[in-house]
Amino acid sequence: MTGNAGLFHIAWELTRRGWNVMPTVRNARGADLYAAPLDDEEAVIPIQSKALSRRAAVPLGTDLSRLRSRWWVITLGANDDDPTCFVLSLEEVKDLSTQDKGKGRAYWLEAKNYEKPEFREAWHRLV
């Protein structure tokens, strides 16, 4: 339910700001939703949603080259009445990620790396 709450919160935020939003099928590879500004249907952007019930690192898998969506939105407190979103580009997600030591070597986006003022509720960055 946390994933759905975050996804639909993002759709609500973007709709309020004049975007047409279409969620994809859950667990599909790639973007979780696509958004297009009302005045330019051809400017569709893919968005990856990561919803968290509390402050935590975001798992990114073991191969950063498999990450696809150009924009990522991390929703903290997705099940709360007033969630907070952080808007990052794919390049920022990759640049700010850290990797486990030892076996598995998974990548993570630590909370301290996405919880920055420049990403907080930064919907204006989506272009």
Side-chain angles (χ1 to χ4, degrees):
M1 299 313 287
T2 301
N4 279 342
L7 180 75
F8 288 106
H9 179 74
I10 293 167
W12 176 76
E13 288 284 0
L14 290 173
T15 300
R16 291 177 53 229
R17 289 168 167 76
W19 292 76
N20 285 315
V21 181
M22 183 182 71
T24 62
V25 176
R26 296 300 293 166
N27 297 323
R29 184 172 220 144
D32 291 316
L33 53 86
Y34 291 92
L38 289 176
D39 59 348
D40 186 5
E41 285 185 5
E42 293 183 21
V44 176
I45 61 167
I47 299 172
Q48 178 71 46
S49 170
K50 292 296 183 185
L52 304 167
S53 58
R54 60 181 171 72
R55 186 177 192 265
V58 175
L60 302 174
T62 57
D63 184 359
L64 293 179
S65 69
R66 296 185 70 181
L67 304 181
R68 299 176 188 265
S69 299
R70 194 169 79 210
W71 289 100
W72 286 55
V73 179
I74 300 164
T75 306
L76 270 189
N79 298 314
D80 297 345
D81 289 337
D82 191 22
T84 303
C85 292
F86 299 89
V87 180
L88 292 87
S89 69
L90 175 58
E91 294 77 25
E92 291 163 338
V93 169
K94 289 179 178 182
D95 289 345
L96 295 171
S97 68
T98 58
Q99 189 175 28
D100 287 340
K101 306 271 190 271
K103 191 175 182 180
R105 311 262 311 152
Y107 288 92
W108 300 85
L109 183 59
E110 298 293 338
K112 67 181 181 182
N113 292 337
Y114 65 77
E115 262 189 326
K116 296 183 176 186
E118 61 264 35
F119 303 141
R120 185 183 190 93
E121 301 297 338
W123 303 103
H124 64 279
R125 302 183 72 213
L126 299 175
V127 290

